[in-house]
Amino acid sequence: QVQLVESGGGLVQPGGSLRLSCAASGISFNIDSMGWYRQGPGKQRELVATITAVGSTNYADSVKGRFTISRDNAKNTVYLQMNSLKPEDTAVYYCNVVRRIILNKRVDYWGQGTQVTVSS
């Protein structure tokens, strides 16, 4: 059974930093991209950052220059380093792992979400 376990969320002051981790178990191969999404109060879930199996990254404009996504394939773990946090970053952050079956078929797995609150 595939499970994604997230950690690292919490309360931080504006300008502070947090590092989120997401460890995937139950799958050891055919993992394509990994990423982070978030859902703020009253908002729909949105993409924060993704990283492909070969390390190509993509970021939402709102987090470029502040967040860094990385992955450790040996550990099936994806990280999100969040610096210069702003109150608008407050959201539940969800880890996403994509298993590629064929080119046009994929299976997405999601973490349970971890709360990030940026407040003074």
Side-chain angles (χ1 to χ4, degrees):
Q1 185 176 16
V2 177
Q3 288 190 329
L4 275 57
V5 180
E6 301 174 344
S7 62
L11 175 65
V12 65
Q13 296 184 35
S17 298
L18 285 173
R19 191 189 192 210
L20 305 183
S21 299
C22 175
S25 63
I27 47 176
S28 299
F29 55 91
N30 285 346
I31 296 176
D32 195 7
S33 65
M34 307 178 80
W36 293 92
Y37 294 71
R38 68 186 182 187
Q39 186 169 16
K43 298 181 179 180
Q44 289 190 311
R45 188 176 300 187
E46 64 178 357
L47 182 147
V48 177
T50 60
I51 182 167
T52 70
V54 295
S56 297
T57 58
N58 183 52
Y59 297 92
D61 289 341
S62 60
V63 307
K64 287 181 179 177
R66 299 188 298 120
F67 291 10
T68 302
I69 188 170
S70 61
R71 64 190 286 172
D72 186 335
N73 291 333
K75 297 180 179 180
N76 288 336
T77 300
V78 61
Y79 306 93
L80 185 68
Q81 179 66 47
M82 304 184 294
N83 298 325
S84 301
L85 283 162
K86 304 175 180 180
E88 49 263 47
D89 294 318
T90 296
V92 177
Y93 285 70
Y94 297 91
C95 175
N96 169 251
V97 174
V98 176
R99 181 169 66 91
R100 179 68 58 183
I101 309 299
I102 55 176
L103 284 177
N104 65 339
K105 185 178 180 181
R106 58 185 267 178
V107 177
D108 284 71
Y109 300 93
W110 295 91
Q112 80 286 352
T114 184
Q115 177 70 49
V116 172
T117 302
V118 185
S119 177
S120 60

PDB file of all heavy atoms in Angstrom, residues 12-13 15-19 81-85:
ATOM      1  N   VAL A  12       5.308  29.671  12.003  1.00  0.00           N
ATOM      2  CA  VAL A  12       6.543  30.425  11.829  1.00  0.00           C
ATOM      3  C   VAL A  12       6.199  31.892  11.617  1.00  0.00           C
ATOM      4  O   VAL A  12       5.134  32.227  11.102  1.00  0.00           O
ATOM      5  CB  VAL A  12       7.364  29.875  10.642  1.00  0.00           C
ATOM      6  CG1 VAL A  12       6.619  30.082   9.328  1.00  0.00           C
ATOM      7  CG2 VAL A  12       8.741  30.501  10.589  1.00  0.00           C
ATOM      8  N   GLN A  13       7.091  32.762  12.038  1.00  0.00           N
ATOM      9  CA  GLN A  13       6.890  34.188  11.844  1.00  0.00           C
ATOM     10  C   GLN A  13       7.206  34.600  10.410  1.00  0.00           C
ATOM     11  O   GLN A  13       7.975  33.931   9.726  1.00  0.00           O
ATOM     12  CB  GLN A  13       7.773  34.985  12.805  1.00  0.00           C
ATOM     13  CG  GLN A  13       7.446  34.793  14.268  1.00  0.00           C
ATOM     14  CD  GLN A  13       8.283  35.684  15.167  1.00  0.00           C
ATOM     15  OE1 GLN A  13       8.612  36.814  14.812  1.00  0.00           O
ATOM     16  NE2 GLN A  13       8.623  35.183  16.338  1.00  0.00           N
ATOM     17  N   GLY A  15       8.986  35.953   7.338  1.00  0.00           N
ATOM     18  CA  GLY A  15      10.413  36.016   7.100  1.00  0.00           C
ATOM     19  C   GLY A  15      11.163  34.781   7.538  1.00  0.00           C
ATOM     20  O   GLY A  15      12.353  34.633   7.217  1.00  0.00           O
ATOM     21  N   GLY A  16      10.497  33.902   8.236  1.00  0.00           N
ATOM     22  CA  GLY A  16      11.123  32.691   8.713  1.00  0.00           C
ATOM     23  C   GLY A  16      11.168  31.599   7.661  1.00  0.00           C
ATOM     24  O   GLY A  16      10.772  31.796   6.512  1.00  0.00           O
ATOM     25  N   SER A  17      11.631  30.437   8.087  1.00  0.00           N
ATOM     26  CA  SER A  17      11.812  29.317   7.174  1.00  0.00           C
ATOM     27  C   SER A  17      11.253  28.036   7.759  1.00  0.00           C
ATOM     28  O   SER A  17      11.205  27.845   8.973  1.00  0.00           O
ATOM     29  CB  SER A  17      13.305  29.106   6.865  1.00  0.00           C
ATOM     30  OG  SER A  17      13.876  30.235   6.231  1.00  0.00           O
ATOM     31  N   LEU A  18      10.843  27.168   6.874  1.00  0.00           N
ATOM     32  CA  LEU A  18      10.422  25.823   7.222  1.00  0.00           C
ATOM     33  C   LEU A  18      10.882  24.883   6.119  1.00  0.00           C
ATOM     34  O   LEU A  18      11.020  25.291   4.965  1.00  0.00           O
ATOM     35  CB  LEU A  18       8.903  25.713   7.366  1.00  0.00           C
ATOM     36  CG  LEU A  18       8.240  26.296   8.608  1.00  0.00           C
ATOM     37  CD1 LEU A  18       6.724  26.219   8.458  1.00  0.00           C
ATOM     38  CD2 LEU A  18       8.685  25.562   9.860  1.00  0.00           C
ATOM     39  N   ARG A  19      11.077  23.641   6.485  1.00  0.00           N
ATOM     40  CA  ARG A  19      11.423  22.622   5.510  1.00  0.00           C
ATOM     41  C   ARG A  19      10.442  21.466   5.626  1.00  0.00           C
ATOM     42  O   ARG A  19      10.371  20.814   6.666  1.00  0.00           O
ATOM     43  CB  ARG A  19      12.844  22.112   5.712  1.00  0.00           C
ATOM     44  CG  ARG A  19      13.343  21.237   4.556  1.00  0.00           C
ATOM     45  CD  ARG A  19      14.645  20.570   4.891  1.00  0.00           C
ATOM     46  NE  ARG A  19      15.275  19.973   3.720  1.00  0.00           N
ATOM     47  CZ  ARG A  19      16.057  18.899   3.746  1.00  0.00           C
ATOM     48  NH1 ARG A  19      16.326  18.318   4.906  1.00  0.00           N
ATOM     49  NH2 ARG A  19      16.592  18.440   2.630  1.00  0.00           N
ATOM     50  N   GLN A  81      12.004  23.405   0.763  1.00  0.00           N
ATOM     51  CA  GLN A  81      12.615  24.401   1.625  1.00  0.00           C
ATOM     52  C   GLN A  81      11.919  25.724   1.380  1.00  0.00           C
ATOM     53  O   GLN A  81      11.926  26.234   0.265  1.00  0.00           O
ATOM     54  CB  GLN A  81      14.109  24.528   1.333  1.00  0.00           C
ATOM     55  CG  GLN A  81      14.824  25.578   2.170  1.00  0.00           C
ATOM     56  CD  GLN A  81      14.864  25.223   3.638  1.00  0.00           C
ATOM     57  OE1 GLN A  81      15.187  24.096   3.996  1.00  0.00           O
ATOM     58  NE2 GLN A  81      14.515  26.184   4.490  1.00  0.00           N
ATOM     59  N   MET A  82      11.333  26.271   2.411  1.00  0.00           N
ATOM     60  CA  MET A  82      10.563  27.494   2.299  1.00  0.00           C
ATOM     61  C   MET A  82      11.252  28.586   3.104  1.00  0.00           C
ATOM     62  O   MET A  82      11.353  28.494   4.328  1.00  0.00           O
ATOM     63  CB  MET A  82       9.130  27.290   2.787  1.00  0.00           C
ATOM     64  CG  MET A  82       8.399  26.163   2.078  1.00  0.00           C
ATOM     65  SD  MET A  82       6.660  26.018   2.599  1.00  0.00           S
ATOM     66  CE  MET A  82       6.887  25.522   4.308  1.00  0.00           C
ATOM     67  N   ASN A  83      11.709  29.600   2.413  1.00  0.00           N
ATOM     68  CA  ASN A  83      12.369  30.731   3.039  1.00  0.00           C
ATOM     69  C   ASN A  83      11.559  31.998   2.818  1.00  0.00           C
ATOM     70  O   ASN A  83      10.700  32.061   1.947  1.00  0.00           O
ATOM     71  CB  ASN A  83      13.781  30.915   2.476  1.00  0.00           C
ATOM     72  CG  ASN A  83      14.686  29.741   2.719  1.00  0.00           C
ATOM     73  OD1 ASN A  83      14.598  29.079   3.755  1.00  0.00           O
ATOM     74  ND2 ASN A  83      15.586  29.471   1.774  1.00  0.00           N
ATOM     75  N   SER A  84      11.876  33.005   3.600  1.00  0.00           N
ATOM     76  CA  SER A  84      11.199  34.301   3.485  1.00  0.00           C
ATOM     77  C   SER A  84       9.692  34.140   3.454  1.00  0.00           C
ATOM     78  O   SER A  84       8.993  34.711   2.613  1.00  0.00           O
ATOM     79  CB  SER A  84      11.686  35.038   2.229  1.00  0.00           C
ATOM     80  OG  SER A  84      13.085  35.240   2.262  1.00  0.00           O
ATOM     81  N   LEU A  85       9.193  33.370   4.373  1.00  0.00           N
ATOM     82  CA  LEU A  85       7.770  33.052   4.383  1.00  0.00           C
ATOM     83  C   LEU A  85       6.922  34.288   4.637  1.00  0.00           C
ATOM     84  O   LEU A  85       7.294  35.181   5.404  1.00  0.00           O
ATOM     85  CB  LEU A  85       7.481  31.986   5.428  1.00  0.00           C
ATOM     86  CG  LEU A  85       7.870  30.566   5.005  1.00  0.00           C
ATOM     87  CD1 LEU A  85       7.972  29.646   6.207  1.00  0.00           C
ATOM     88  CD2 LEU A  85       6.859  30.023   4.003  1.00  0.00           C
TER      89      LEU A  85
END
